[in-house]
């Protein structure tokens, strides 16, 4: 979290959430792949953000996706659908925190 965002939270008395889990070089590579996938959606997702997602199981891609044009499925949905049963026990790398809201659109796949 940047210094400006941290300062703004501190002014309101909030403490920023920090994920202390260490990243391995493999984690960094999979996140880089998620970011690469997100770039494929640039200019097509407004008002949604561009997001990439990779499902990794046993060191291999089980599914991947990026945000579809507005009204279409989010990156997590695409990646998890592509992975199918291969998503069970896998790790999901997402370039943006997974969406849990679905006002009038498709439900997130984990619901």
């Amino acid at each position: 979290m940047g210094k400006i965002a941290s300062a703004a939270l501190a002014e309101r008395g909030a403490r920023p959430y920090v994920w202390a889990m260490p990243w391995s070089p493999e984690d960094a590579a999979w996140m880089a792949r998620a970011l690469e996938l997100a770039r494929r959606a640039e200019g097509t997702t407004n008002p949604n953000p561009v997001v990439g997602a990779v499902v990794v199981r046993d060191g291999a891609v089980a599914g991947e996706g990026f945000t579809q044009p507005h009204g279409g499925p989010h990156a997590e949905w695409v990646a998890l659908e592509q992975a199918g049963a291969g998503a069970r026990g896998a790790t999901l790398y997402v370039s943006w925190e997974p969406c849990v809201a679905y006002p009038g659109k498709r439900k997130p796949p984990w619901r």
Side-chain angles (χ1 to χ4, degrees):
M1 178 174 296
K3 291 180 181 178
I4 295 172
S6 295
L9 287 170
E11 285 176 11
R12 293 187 301 220
R15 294 185 315 172
Y17 175 77
V18 177
W19 187 353
M21 184 176 182
W23 279 54
S24 70
E26 291 81 15
D27 291 325
W30 291 122
M31 184 56 77
R33 176 63 180 152
L35 291 167
E36 183 180 306
L37 289 164
R39 284 193 276 288
R40 292 186 185 180
E42 285 181 343
T44 67
T45 64
N46 191 27
N48 294 330
V50 294
V51 180
V54 183
V55 179
V56 178
R57 183 169 182 176
D58 299 325
V61 173
E64 57 184 20
F66 52 90
T67 306
Q68 300 300 298
H70 183 63
H74 291 193
E76 311 93 310
W77 182 275
V78 174
L80 289 168
E81 275 191 335
Q82 189 180 94
R88 191 167 302 281
T91 300
L92 175 64
Y93 294 88
V94 184
S95 63
W96 188 276
E97 69 180 65
C99 180
V100 296
Y102 51 94
K105 306 288 181 201
R106 296 176 71 175
K107 290 184 180 181
W110 51 86
R111 293 269 170 139

